[in-house]
Amino acid sequence: MLKTVAFATLGCKVNQYETQALSEQFERLGYALVSFEEKADVYVINTCTVTHIGDRKSRQVIRRARRANPEALVVVTGCYAQVAPDEIAGIGDVDLIVGTRGRERLAEFVDRTLERGKTVKCIAGLDEAPAFEELPISRTQGRARAYIKVQEGCRDFCTYCIVPYARGPLRSRPSAAVIEEAERLVRNGYVELVLTGTHLGAYGLDLPDAPKLAELVTSLSRVPGLLRLRLSSIEPLDISPALVEAIASSPVACPHLHIPLQSGSNHILHRMGRRYSTREFALLVNHIRSKIPEVGITTDVMVGFPGESDAHFRESLDFVRRMDFSGLHVFKFSPRKGTPAAAYPDQVPAKVKESRSKAMLELGEFLKDRFACRYVGKTVSVLAEEHRDGVLEGYTGNYLRARFRGSPDALGRLEQVSVKSVIDGVLLGDNL
């Protein structure tokens, strides 16, 4: 009888990439993929622990799997599994716990476990496997864009962040493996590739003689058939002049960078353990804009960090406004057990965090609309990714969403769209 496996993924793009790689492992062993809502022989939950809410959602999904099939093998992996395996084991509904290492042959291990009987096991601590964990993929959700994980681990240890404890030290994927996967994905129809990693800008730093991120961008730009190459989030201190030049000179690199700011207050940046000032951040943004025409720069901003006064928040709000970002991701500070900031005495009340989040989000919407309105009356290139009721949707190179009329035959192609108007930051074609 055909065995079945179901996946649930919480958290970031790295987790989504890893789930795709694991699902392909199971398929190669003859498993059929089914929805997580269906009865399956194996449930794999890829967890997140960036916030306490991520932990809670992970526990909820684990219990849901056990209710769906009390006889199934329940596997928990990912960041929450890495930092809190005993806590997960204590739930009582888990058969196999695997952290963020040792998953290259997870499907084989699960297959043997099904045959021999259930067990609870935690595989490979972060210090036991220093090399990059190879989890290649050949496809992904969607028809046009695919992610490639090229790097793992973080060295920064910001005072609020649990990720270095969950993902371990820096580990880079060999460039030959990255290029091979890129070529495979393009052959399979994906025309936009997004490089991702825990600390993407640190690519190659753990391998002294290996290419760095700028060189990888240049190499990938030569992949036949690739129309777009995009970088996911990259720390400001990792954006070198060489990387800016590689993006500017590439025929396929997207004019978009997501650069986490976290706070526009120097006092709060220092408490966060961020190793730059607002002046240095502004100089970097100005340099990028001078070298890459039409660049879109988006960012992450945290509100309610311990010790953030009303004055500090106003500083942050004013700095974000001056930077004129094309989009914001806004986060409320969430204390993570085991990080220094969780023990700081001057925690900000929840209602204050909520109010500051609302104000920052409103500013983000204003800035996104203002950036998008620059393109009214202009023609932009859009990668068609979705089609519904005669309307196509996709993104410009500088990461503005666009909507226009067209046929499903255009999916996966770059379409030239004349922009008529903007609604809620979305470009509307003149044929709507």
Side-chain angles (χ1 to χ4, degrees):
M1 183 177 177
L2 189 66
K3 291 175 285 190
T4 56
V5 59
F7 288 86
T9 309
L10 297 97
C12 65
K13 298 296 184 183
V14 170
N15 270 14
Q16 293 176 31
Y17 175 94
E18 291 167 350
T19 294
Q20 177 60 37
L22 294 174
S23 70
E24 291 187 29
Q25 278 188 26
F26 279 89
E27 285 184 294
R28 286 193 292 270
L29 288 180
Y31 283 76
L33 301 181
V34 299
S35 163
F36 202 81
E37 308 307 320
E38 298 179 52
K39 186 175 181 179
D41 298 306
V42 180
Y43 293 93
V44 181
I45 300 103
N46 196 358
T47 60
C48 174
T49 192
V50 169
T51 69
H52 68 279
I53 295 173
D55 291 356
R56 186 175 69 218
K57 287 182 177 178
S58 296
R59 292 191 294 270
Q60 291 170 347
V61 174
I62 291 167
R63 294 188 179 102
R64 199 166 83 226
R66 180 56 69 205
R67 288 195 299 270
N69 183 5
E71 301 303 316
L73 189 78
V74 176
V75 182
V76 180
T77 186
C79 291
Y80 183 38
Q82 184 67 46
V83 300
D86 293 338
E87 186 174 306
I88 292 171
I91 296 174
D93 291 323
V94 179
D95 301 301
L96 180 64
I97 303 170
V98 184
T100 55
R101 303 295 294 150
R103 295 172 294 181
E104 298 94 332
R105 301 177 67 183
L106 177 64
E108 292 179 29
F109 186 85
V110 167
D111 209 40
R112 291 197 302 270
T113 302
L114 276 178
E115 294 174 359
R116 299 174 184 174
K118 296 180 181 180
T119 182
V120 176
K121 183 167 183 172
C122 186
I123 300 175
L126 293 174
D127 57 349
E128 296 177 39
F132 182 85
E133 178 188 52
E134 275 292 341
L135 293 172
I137 67 170
S138 60
R139 66 182 191 280
T140 187
Q141 292 182 350
R143 295 173 58 177
R145 177 189 292 127
Y147 288 81
I148 300 181
K149 181 182 170 185
V150 303
Q151 185 278 334
E152 180 68 281
C154 183
R155 64 179 181 180
D156 281 358
F157 290 91
C158 298
T159 60
Y160 54 84
C161 188
I162 196 69
V163 170
Y165 307 94
R167 291 284 177 172
L170 300 180
R171 298 179 300 282
S172 299
R173 190 176 188 181
S175 59
V178 176
I179 293 168
E180 180 184 349
E181 183 163 298
E183 291 173 343
R184 178 169 63 251
L185 287 166
V186 171
R187 285 197 303 271
N188 289 346
Y190 299 97
V191 294
E192 179 177 313
L193 301 180
V194 185
L195 301 186
T196 188
T198 312
H199 189 165
L200 177 62
Y203 177 81
L205 297 185
D206 55 312
L207 304 173
D209 298 324
K212 304 304 183 281
L213 186 58
E215 296 165 283
L216 184 65
V217 167
T218 299
S219 296
L220 287 169
S221 297
R222 303 188 187 108
V223 171
L226 179 63
L227 300 183
R228 281 186 178 173
L229 179 66
R230 195 182 294 276
L231 303 184
S232 61
S233 181
I234 182 165
E235 293 293 327
L237 292 176
D238 295 327
I239 302 177
S240 65
L243 179 59
V244 175
E245 179 58 32
I247 295 170
S249 61
S250 166
V252 297
C254 291
H256 169 246
L257 285 168
H258 185 83
I259 313 172
L261 169 65
Q262 303 304 359
S263 177
S265 163
N266 285 325
H267 174 76
I268 297 301
L269 285 174
H270 178 72
R271 295 201 83 198
M272 288 177 166
R274 307 288 286 180
R275 296 176 290 111
Y276 54 84
S277 66
T278 54
R279 179 179 179 276
E280 290 166 327
F281 191 97
L283 287 173
L284 171 66
V285 168
N286 291 338
H287 173 70
I288 293 168
R289 286 173 172 158
S290 73
K291 297 293 183 180
I292 306 175
E294 305 298 324
V295 67
I297 298 180
T298 53
T299 196
D300 296 333
V301 181
M302 185 183 296
V303 300
F305 188 81
E308 183 187 62
S309 66
D310 288 342
H312 296 140
F313 176 68
R314 285 195 298 273
E315 281 184 305
S316 195
L317 205 64
D318 289 344
F319 184 76
V320 168
R321 185 180 293 108
R322 291 199 306 275
M323 285 297 92
D324 203 17
F325 294 108
S326 58
L328 303 183
H329 292 166
V330 180
F331 304 88
K332 290 174 282 189
F333 170 75
S334 174
R336 303 303 299 125
K337 183 179 178 181
T339 62
Y344 287 174
D346 41 6
Q347 301 288 322
V348 175
K351 286 186 178 180
V352 175
K353 286 193 279 191
E354 185 63 36
S355 173
R356 291 176 184 173
S357 174
K358 182 179 178 182
M360 191 65 78
L361 284 167
E362 288 175 353
L363 175 58
E365 290 303 309
F366 170 78
L367 294 176
K368 182 174 69 173
D369 279 352
R370 185 161 71 180
F371 184 76
C373 283
R374 298 180 189 179
Y375 295 93
V376 174
K378 297 182 179 180
T379 299
V380 296
S381 181
V382 180
L383 179 60
E385 300 177 54
E386 300 175 23
H387 181 271
R388 181 179 300 171
D389 299 328
V391 176
L392 290 159
E393 288 195 13
Y395 284 90
T396 64
N398 54 8
Y399 212 61
L400 286 171
R401 179 171 279 278
R403 190 176 296 135
F404 56 100
R405 289 201 178 277
S407 75
D409 293 340
L411 287 170
R413 297 205 308 250
L414 289 177
E415 295 289 299
Q416 300 304 304
V417 178
S418 297
V419 180
K420 174 181 67 175
S421 59
V422 172
I423 296 181
D424 296 330
V426 179
L427 308 179
L428 300 182
D430 62 1
N431 59 0
L432 277 178

